[in-house]
Amino acid sequence: MTHPLKTALVTGATAGFGHAIALRLVKEGFRVIATGRRQERLDALAKEAGENLLPFKLDVTDLAAVKALPGSLPEGWQQVDVLVNNAGLALGLEKAWETKPSDWEQMIATNVTGLVEITRALLPGMVDRNAGHVISLGSTAGTYPYPGSNVYGATKAFVDLFMRNLRSDLLGKQVRATNIAPGLCGGSEFSQVRLGDNQKAAAVYEHTKPLLPEDIAETVAWVLKLPPHVNINMVEMMPICQAAAGLAVDRTMDN
């Protein structure tokens, strides 16, 4: 069963970017499958968005559930035209030799394996229909290293190269692939999750005007509105209060 409105699936829709993207896409005329781990938040989002949003509990690190996703969606919602790979997280700012291996494992499981597996689950349908769009949320951390970013930055560098290679694989197909890489962004749970402390998280944004989830949602909406022959490979965006810091130099070493 097909539906006249295009269907978008947004991962990590229970807060932050995903919440804003889901609401914006409903406003733009999409039917949205909003996924996440917290059912109560998905239900609240559905109440806010209306009948064109389907709450669907899904943990992208549950690989069995992800692989079964195409057949698990309700009738009428199984043709996914747009996949927004938003689910992701950063954990800790410790140096590589001080960090918890479990933090690294969780970031890789979510930011890399989860993203790859859900893309693999839904991409064949897009290719068969010769239409679709995969949008992944990367980060400027995938381009510009900083102390404590170690595995988090590496996972976002993976997202960038995965999406570029995906575009190469899709040559000759009418399926688009885009990486959106934001810099400093507030208004989400990102820093609270990363630092585990609300005061430390708030300090990240003191005296700044960071990007907001609505800015990311605006960018997703813009990319999707472009003519179908236009593919935006990558969008790197920062607030004007941020810039690449340049190379670091240690000046404490003896000559």
Side-chain angles (χ1 to χ4, degrees):
M1 178 179 176
T2 59
H3 196 280
L5 296 181
K6 287 187 176 180
T7 299
L9 188 146
V10 181
T11 66
T14 55
F17 294 179
H19 182 275
I21 292 166
L23 289 177
R24 179 58 185 266
L25 293 187
V26 169
K27 184 178 178 182
E28 293 290 330
F30 285 84
R31 300 165 81 228
V32 174
I33 304 165
T35 77
R37 295 173 299 165
R38 293 171 285 188
Q39 186 67 55
E40 70 283 357
R41 291 202 177 192
L42 292 175
D43 291 340
L45 177 59
K47 187 175 181 180
E48 182 179 1
E51 64 181 6
N52 280 333
L53 187 140
L54 173 72
F56 192 87
K57 188 174 181 180
L58 179 71
D59 181 347
V60 297
T61 66
D62 182 346
L63 299 187
V66 169
K67 290 176 181 178
L69 180 63
S72 301
L73 294 167
E75 184 178 356
W77 292 86
Q78 294 182 347
Q79 179 176 310
V80 175
D81 304 291
V82 175
L83 168 62
V84 181
N85 282 317
N86 166 72
L89 79 166
L91 294 171
L93 274 171
E94 297 85 3
K95 300 294 178 66
W97 60 91
E98 299 169 335
T99 193
K100 300 175 185 175
S102 60
D103 285 352
W104 282 3
E105 291 159 8
Q106 188 174 350
M107 286 187 280
I108 293 168
T110 306
N111 302 357
V112 176
T113 307
L115 181 147
V116 166
E117 291 291 346
I118 199 165
T119 301
R120 182 64 180 85
L122 296 176
L123 188 60
M126 296 182 188
V127 172
D128 287 346
R129 296 186 298 272
N130 201 31
H133 200 149
V134 179
I135 298 175
S136 293
L137 269 295
S139 170
T140 55
T143 302
Y144 308 106
Y146 58 88
S149 181
N150 44 71
V151 165
Y152 172 68
T155 65
K156 292 303 183 177
F158 176 92
V159 172
D160 182 28
L161 265 295
F162 176 68
M163 296 305 292
R164 291 180 186 272
N165 281 292
L166 191 60
R167 180 82 281 280
S168 294
D169 287 345
L170 289 166
L171 186 64
K173 304 292 183 182
Q174 301 301 308
V175 180
R176 301 189 284 182
T178 302
N179 174 31
I180 297 177
L184 184 70
C185 192
S188 74
E189 298 177 337
F190 179 84
S191 290
Q192 287 93 330
V193 171
R194 183 173 208 173
L195 301 175
D197 182 295
N198 288 340
Q199 286 188 323
K200 289 181 180 179
V204 172
Y205 308 104
E206 283 182 356
H207 311 300
T208 72
K209 189 172 183 179
L211 299 174
L212 296 173
E214 290 75 17
D215 299 321
I216 312 307
E218 174 75 22
T219 305
V220 171
W222 169 73
V223 166
L224 289 170
K225 283 179 182 177
L226 292 172
H229 71 282
V230 177
N231 190 89
I232 301 299
N233 296 335
M234 194 261 199
V235 176
E236 179 183 286
M237 52 194 296
M238 294 180 179
I240 59 171
C241 64
Q242 184 182 32
L247 297 176
V249 178
D250 177 12
R251 301 189 186 278
T252 64
M253 301 181 70
D254 294 332
N255 291 327

